[in-house]
Amino acid sequence: MNTFNESGRVSLHGPLLWMADAGRGWEVLMAAGSRLRVWWAPLSGFLVVLATLTACNPYQYYEGTGIHDTTAAEVAGGWENVEGTRVLLRKDGTALFEKLDGQDFDFEDGWRLSGKGTWQLTDDDGGQVVRLELTARTRVERRSPLPAIDTPAPETPSTYAWSFYVDRDQNDELKLFFFYGDPDIGNTYVMTREAGL
């Protein structure tokens, strides 16, 4: 049974009280609290959605590994990854590339470049980076067949530049990596010393 009390509120034998006001319509109040609780639920949902949409990904603004003690002589040599990519960094600053994929969103295009170019070891505030530049493309391959749709295949670059972060694994062995795909995901394309070197 509903009853009116002195303030004009109607008790519904439950957790809610209703207050009638001719100027503002019906207003819901919590029995043990205030209007703040009523507004908190929708407001907190909105804040969660807003935080999700505006959240910064740590990989999007990655500044480096903090490694500053690697020498060019240590970096020189053969590098590979599990996808069959090979890179030879010669001591004279020239490089050979075999099946090297694109960095960041370019990875999504599916091309793999082979050819020759140059490399250099740089040292930024965040750590050391190996900068590779393909100057003469000799071959293009596809990581996977393109889907059978009417859109044209993305254009494959004839020259390209990569920035590999210099890092060390748990055994203090050098590794080189860059991020690929959506930077919000943080996928890494890792190159390790070529087996047998």
Side-chain angles (χ1 to χ4, degrees):
M1 176 176 170
N2 298 337
T3 58
F4 284 93
N5 60 23
E6 296 162 0
S7 67
R9 294 182 180 144
V10 179
S11 175
L12 296 174
H13 298 293
L16 297 177
L17 292 177
W18 297 85
M19 179 176 77
D21 183 340
R24 293 184 297 171
W26 291 88
E27 197 172 305
V28 179
L29 298 176
M30 300 299 288
S34 68
R35 289 186 180 116
L36 181 58
R37 286 190 192 167
V38 173
W39 290 101
W40 178 246
L43 181 60
S44 64
F46 171 74
L47 291 176
V48 167
V49 170
L50 183 63
T52 302
L53 292 175
T54 61
C56 291
N57 181 319
Y59 305 110
Q60 188 174 9
Y61 303 105
Y62 188 74
E63 294 184 13
T65 61
I67 303 282
H68 295 281
D69 62 350
T70 306
T71 66
E74 286 180 280
V75 174
W79 295 88
E80 65 184 356
N81 82 357
V82 296
E83 297 293 325
T85 299
R86 293 185 65 236
V87 175
L88 177 61
L89 306 177
R90 295 180 174 146
K91 290 182 180 181
D92 66 358
T94 61
L96 296 176
F97 307 93
E98 186 178 331
K99 301 179 185 177
L100 189 52
D101 295 282
Q103 189 170 339
D104 299 322
F105 282 113
D106 291 338
F107 183 84
E108 309 288 335
D109 291 342
W111 47 255
R112 310 185 85 200
L113 301 177
S114 297
K116 43 190 173 173
T118 61
W119 73 278
Q120 66 175 339
L121 177 65
T122 63
D123 196 349
D124 299 329
D125 290 339
Q128 291 175 299
V129 175
V130 173
R131 308 230 187 256
L132 299 169
E133 186 173 349
L134 176 73
T135 56
R137 184 181 79 190
T138 58
R139 190 172 68 241
V140 176
E141 295 179 39
R142 292 269 168 214
R143 196 172 42 257
S144 60
L146 290 175
I149 55 176
D150 291 335
T151 60
E155 187 175 332
T156 305
S158 57
T159 62
Y160 195 79
W162 294 264
S163 293
F164 282 88
Y165 293 103
V166 177
D167 201 3
R168 295 187 185 275
D169 65 16
Q170 63 274 15
N171 298 319
D172 207 33
E173 298 293 327
L174 281 181
K175 63 180 181 177
L176 308 176
F177 74 93
F178 62 74
F179 293 104
Y180 70 89
D182 186 340
D184 290 334
I185 297 172
N187 291 323
T188 54
Y189 191 95
V190 179
M191 301 287 289
T192 56
R193 277 288 174 205
E194 198 167 30
L197 295 180

